[in-house]
Amino acid sequence: MRQVRVRIAPSPTGIPHIGNTRTALFNYLFAKHHKGKFILRIEDTDRVRLVPGSENAIKEIFSWLGIHWDEEYKQSDRILIYKEYVQKLKEKELAYEDNGAVRFRMPKEGVNEWEDAIGSKKILFQNKDQEDFVILKSDGFPTYNFANVIDDHLMEITHVIRGDEFISSTPKHIQLYKAFGWDQPVFAHLPVILGPDHQKLSKRHGAKSALDYRDEGYLKEALLNYMVLLGWNPGSDQEIMSLDEMITLFDLPGVNTASPIFDVKKLLWMNGIYIRKSQISNLKSQIISQNSKLKNVDDALLDKLIPLAQTRMNTLNDFYTLTRHFFEEPKVVLDEKEKETAQKLYNAFLTMKLWDNETILSSLKNVIHKEGIRMPILYKILTGAPSGLPLPESLTILSREKTIKRLKKLLT
Ligand code: GLU
């Protein structure tokens, strides 16, 4: 059997959203599962739609996620090759000049048919419904339909795994393979990802790029794990898996024929699972690199806070939200009733013999009981936020001195 060779062929027309990155992941996993090659091909022949910086963003996404490519090509470097193949079609009288552009002559009868690897379904198009299509534009650049096929052939691509929005282009591609007398690859069209409202996934649904998720404090392991389940399952209930496990388990028959639904809440839940699985040292370095305000913070303080926060964080950025009052004076405005409670806390803390979790807990309970208040009010008074890390532990770490000083300030 031939070595498996697959490609992701992004057009640098913007920063790809999570759906395109999932297609890349499926290609990568398929290649690695079959000990084949994963190729990155930048399809930059649509010069009008180029967006500066998007090629770098595409590569940054793959590098961050660990989706390593084995070979790399860029179509704008290969213009002469495409022109050569245009010439071949002209010589066979299968292509002709039209207003400075070159068109491919589609046959007017017969059908184009293939068995798609997703769901093993037969897809059929009538040639009479197809028009002669442009292969070389008047600016000298080939079209997507042409360059894509030439490259898939020359790069010996065995499986074309892409989104199902390309199904309608496939008859054109097949006709080009026939025109050159080349074998066509296996086509596998992935069902498009939908939002919870069953409309095509878009920004509206919280679908962003992998880089946006990184900035929001998602771990790459969680994002990879979430993406692989968008339209694939391992044939069991297993949901949590590492990249290595995905490589072992992934294959095309496991891809569902139904469209997956993108659920940002599930991604958040999964990120929380990965945060709780993380080793503290690893979590610490990720939390610090995520937030520049933490770069100069005392190491010993972070070592105390991170294990406490780990159980309550769903993103890396949650760390700062939960611990802000350790690094910044909380901004709190109290009403009269809250001020009374603050006074009671102040009195209790002042007379406490010990400053440890247990003693703090019992005086907090005391105040709650006597004042008939709820936890969010205590949090507000003591941290400036309605919830956060366990209060006794927080106050122990913050120190009695600081706690009392802050309460005093609130009361005056
Ligand atoms: N350049 C196309 C894209 O932007 C590639 C489609 C394909 O994989 O054939 O997605």
mmCIF file of all heavy atoms in Angstrom, residues 192-199 201 226 229-231 258-264 266:
data_model
loop_
_atom_site.group_PDB
_atom_site.id
_atom_site.type_symbol
_atom_site.label_atom_id
_atom_site.label_comp_id
_atom_site.label_asym_id
_atom_site.label_seq_id
_atom_site.Cartn_x
_atom_site.Cartn_y
_atom_site.Cartn_z
ATOM 1 N N VAL A 192 -19.937 19.917 8.168
ATOM 2 C CA VAL A 192 -19.639 21.253 8.676
ATOM 3 C C VAL A 192 -20.079 21.362 10.147
ATOM 4 O O VAL A 192 -21.051 20.728 10.566
ATOM 5 C CB VAL A 192 -20.353 22.308 7.788
ATOM 6 C CG1 VAL A 192 -21.867 22.197 7.916
ATOM 7 C CG2 VAL A 192 -19.886 23.708 8.088
ATOM 8 N N ILE A 193 -19.347 22.127 10.917
ATOM 9 C CA ILE A 193 -19.686 22.315 12.339
ATOM 10 C C ILE A 193 -20.808 23.355 12.459
ATOM 11 O O ILE A 193 -20.767 24.390 11.795
ATOM 12 C CB ILE A 193 -18.450 22.798 13.127
ATOM 13 C CG1 ILE A 193 -17.312 21.787 12.974
ATOM 14 C CG2 ILE A 193 -18.786 23.015 14.601
ATOM 15 C CD1 ILE A 193 -15.989 22.268 13.571
ATOM 16 N N LEU A 194 -21.780 23.063 13.298
ATOM 17 C CA LEU A 194 -22.897 23.990 13.496
ATOM 18 C C LEU A 194 -22.865 24.605 14.887
ATOM 19 O O LEU A 194 -22.296 24.027 15.816
ATOM 20 C CB LEU A 194 -24.230 23.250 13.305
ATOM 21 C CG LEU A 194 -24.447 22.550 11.968
ATOM 22 C CD1 LEU A 194 -25.794 21.830 11.963
ATOM 23 C CD2 LEU A 194 -24.366 23.540 10.796
ATOM 24 N N GLY A 195 -23.504 25.754 15.020
ATOM 25 C CA GLY A 195 -23.703 26.366 16.331
ATOM 26 C C GLY A 195 -24.899 25.708 17.018
ATOM 27 O O GLY A 195 -25.630 24.936 16.386
ATOM 28 N N PRO A 196 -25.128 26.031 18.306
ATOM 29 C CA PRO A 196 -26.253 25.430 19.042
ATOM 30 C C PRO A 196 -27.608 25.696 18.368
ATOM 31 O O PRO A 196 -28.548 24.946 18.569
ATOM 32 C CB PRO A 196 -26.194 26.112 20.407
ATOM 33 C CG PRO A 196 -24.798 26.612 20.534
ATOM 34 C CD PRO A 196 -24.308 26.913 19.154
ATOM 35 N N ASP A 197 -27.691 26.749 17.549
ATOM 36 C CA ASP A 197 -28.956 27.026 16.852
ATOM 37 C C ASP A 197 -29.032 26.309 15.496
ATOM 38 O O ASP A 197 -29.889 26.614 14.676
ATOM 39 C CB ASP A 197 -29.130 28.538 16.655
ATOM 40 C CG ASP A 197 -27.961 29.141 15.885
ATOM 41 O OD1 ASP A 197 -27.005 28.397 15.541
ATOM 42 O OD2 ASP A 197 -27.977 30.365 15.627
ATOM 43 N N HIS A 198 -28.093 25.371 15.264
ATOM 44 C CA HIS A 198 -28.061 24.558 14.044
ATOM 45 C C HIS A 198 -27.778 25.370 12.779
ATOM 46 O O HIS A 198 -28.045 24.918 11.672
ATOM 47 C CB HIS A 198 -29.331 23.702 13.888
ATOM 48 C CG HIS A 198 -29.388 22.617 14.927
ATOM 49 N ND1 HIS A 198 -29.238 21.287 14.654
ATOM 50 C CD2 HIS A 198 -29.522 22.706 16.268
ATOM 51 C CE1 HIS A 198 -29.298 20.594 15.784
ATOM 52 N NE2 HIS A 198 -29.469 21.446 16.782
ATOM 53 N N GLN A 199 -27.258 26.576 12.966
ATOM 54 C CA GLN A 199 -26.800 27.355 11.808
ATOM 55 C C GLN A 199 -25.295 27.162 11.694
ATOM 56 O O GLN A 199 -24.635 26.812 12.671
ATOM 57 C CB GLN A 199 -27.096 28.854 12.012
ATOM 58 C CG GLN A 199 -28.564 29.177 12.194
ATOM 59 C CD GLN A 199 -29.397 28.799 10.983
ATOM 60 O OE1 GLN A 199 -29.057 29.162 9.867
ATOM 61 N NE2 GLN A 199 -30.462 28.044 11.196
ATOM 62 N N LEU A 201 -21.547 27.357 11.908
ATOM 63 C CA LEU A 201 -20.779 27.952 13.000
ATOM 64 C C LEU A 201 -20.150 29.285 12.577
ATOM 65 O O LEU A 201 -19.562 29.395 11.509
ATOM 66 C CB LEU A 201 -19.675 26.986 13.418
ATOM 67 C CG LEU A 201 -18.857 27.404 14.632
ATOM 68 C CD1 LEU A 201 -19.708 27.423 15.881
ATOM 69 C CD2 LEU A 201 -17.672 26.464 14.813
ATOM 70 N N TYR A 226 -11.105 18.812 22.746
ATOM 71 C CA TYR A 226 -12.457 19.239 22.390
ATOM 72 C C TYR A 226 -12.666 19.148 20.872
ATOM 73 O O TYR A 226 -13.694 18.670 20.393
ATOM 74 C CB TYR A 226 -12.743 20.666 22.888
ATOM 75 C CG TYR A 226 -14.142 21.068 22.554
ATOM 76 C CD1 TYR A 226 -15.216 20.474 23.206
ATOM 77 C CD2 TYR A 226 -14.397 21.972 21.529
ATOM 78 C CE1 TYR A 226 -16.517 20.769 22.842
ATOM 79 C CE2 TYR A 226 -15.701 22.271 21.170
ATOM 80 C CZ TYR A 226 -16.752 21.672 21.838
ATOM 81 O OH TYR A 226 -18.038 21.949 21.470
ATOM 82 N N LEU A 229 -13.383 15.730 19.193
ATOM 83 C CA LEU A 229 -14.731 15.176 19.388
ATOM 84 C C LEU A 229 -15.787 15.901 18.554
ATOM 85 O O LEU A 229 -16.953 15.548 18.584
ATOM 86 C CB LEU A 229 -15.110 15.231 20.872
ATOM 87 C CG LEU A 229 -14.217 14.388 21.793
ATOM 88 C CD1 LEU A 229 -14.598 14.606 23.250
ATOM 89 C CD2 LEU A 229 -14.281 12.906 21.439
ATOM 90 N N LEU A 230 -15.357 16.925 17.812
ATOM 91 C CA LEU A 230 -16.285 17.624 16.916
ATOM 92 C C LEU A 230 -16.444 16.786 15.644
ATOM 93 O O LEU A 230 -15.804 17.036 14.633
ATOM 94 C CB LEU A 230 -15.758 19.015 16.566
ATOM 95 C CG LEU A 230 -15.896 20.091 17.651
ATOM 96 C CD1 LEU A 230 -15.185 21.363 17.231
ATOM 97 C CD2 LEU A 230 -17.362 20.376 17.964
ATOM 98 N N GLY A 231 -17.277 15.766 15.718
ATOM 99 C CA GLY A 231 -17.539 14.976 14.525
ATOM 100 C C GLY A 231 -16.803 13.657 14.480
ATOM 101 O O GLY A 231 -16.804 12.977 13.454
ATOM 102 N N ALA A 258 -23.199 13.037 10.676
ATOM 103 C CA ALA A 258 -24.018 14.185 11.092
ATOM 104 C C ALA A 258 -23.111 15.344 11.497
ATOM 105 O O ALA A 258 -21.998 15.131 11.964
ATOM 106 C CB ALA A 258 -24.900 13.789 12.257
ATOM 107 N N SER A 259 -23.620 16.556 11.325
ATOM 108 C CA SER A 259 -22.858 17.741 11.710
ATOM 109 C C SER A 259 -22.706 17.819 13.222
ATOM 110 O O SER A 259 -23.683 17.670 13.948
ATOM 111 C CB SER A 259 -23.580 19.001 11.240
ATOM 112 O OG SER A 259 -23.303 19.213 9.887
ATOM 113 N N PRO A 260 -21.479 18.089 13.697
ATOM 114 C CA PRO A 260 -21.313 18.278 15.139
ATOM 115 C C PRO A 260 -21.780 19.669 15.559
ATOM 116 O O PRO A 260 -21.792 20.597 14.763
ATOM 117 C CB PRO A 260 -19.804 18.149 15.329
ATOM 118 C CG PRO A 260 -19.212 18.546 14.016
ATOM 119 C CD PRO A 260 -20.212 18.173 12.960
ATOM 120 N N ILE A 261 -22.160 19.782 16.814
ATOM 121 C CA ILE A 261 -22.592 21.074 17.363
ATOM 122 C C ILE A 261 -21.483 21.619 18.262
ATOM 123 O O ILE A 261 -21.013 20.918 19.160
ATOM 124 C CB ILE A 261 -23.883 20.919 18.209
ATOM 125 C CG1 ILE A 261 -24.982 20.207 17.422
ATOM 126 C CG2 ILE A 261 -24.350 22.275 18.746
ATOM 127 C CD1 ILE A 261 -25.636 21.013 16.351
ATOM 128 N N PHE A 262 -21.105 22.838 17.991
ATOM 129 C CA PHE A 262 -20.062 23.480 18.794
ATOM 130 C C PHE A 262 -20.685 24.031 20.072
ATOM 131 O O PHE A 262 -21.631 24.806 20.018
ATOM 132 C CB PHE A 262 -19.426 24.607 17.984
ATOM 133 C CG PHE A 262 -18.326 25.314 18.722
ATOM 134 C CD1 PHE A 262 -17.036 24.796 18.714
ATOM 135 C CD2 PHE A 262 -18.566 26.479 19.420
ATOM 136 C CE1 PHE A 262 -16.014 25.435 19.398
ATOM 137 C CE2 PHE A 262 -17.551 27.125 20.107
ATOM 138 C CZ PHE A 262 -16.264 26.599 20.088
ATOM 139 N N ASP A 263 -20.121 23.613 21.205
ATOM 140 C CA ASP A 263 -20.706 23.987 22.487
ATOM 141 C C ASP A 263 -19.599 24.559 23.360
ATOM 142 O O ASP A 263 -18.804 23.830 23.944
ATOM 143 C CB ASP A 263 -21.325 22.726 23.110
ATOM 144 C CG ASP A 263 -21.898 22.986 24.484
ATOM 145 O OD1 ASP A 263 -21.830 24.132 24.965
ATOM 146 O OD2 ASP A 263 -22.403 22.022 25.085
ATOM 147 N N VAL A 264 -19.570 25.877 23.444
ATOM 148 C CA VAL A 264 -18.464 26.533 24.135
ATOM 149 C C VAL A 264 -18.458 26.168 25.627
ATOM 150 O O VAL A 264 -17.410 26.116 26.261
ATOM 151 C CB VAL A 264 -18.506 28.058 23.866
ATOM 152 C CG1 VAL A 264 -19.521 28.753 24.721
ATOM 153 C CG2 VAL A 264 -17.145 28.694 24.009
ATOM 154 N N LYS A 266 -19.099 23.242 26.879
ATOM 155 C CA LYS A 266 -18.415 21.957 27.036
ATOM 156 C C LYS A 266 -16.896 22.146 26.945
ATOM 157 O O LYS A 266 -16.126 21.501 27.656
ATOM 158 C CB LYS A 266 -18.904 20.968 25.978
ATOM 159 C CG LYS A 266 -18.231 19.622 26.135
ATOM 160 C CD LYS A 266 -19.014 18.483 25.548
ATOM 161 C CE LYS A 266 -18.247 17.196 25.784
ATOM 162 N NZ LYS A 266 -18.805 16.068 25.064
#
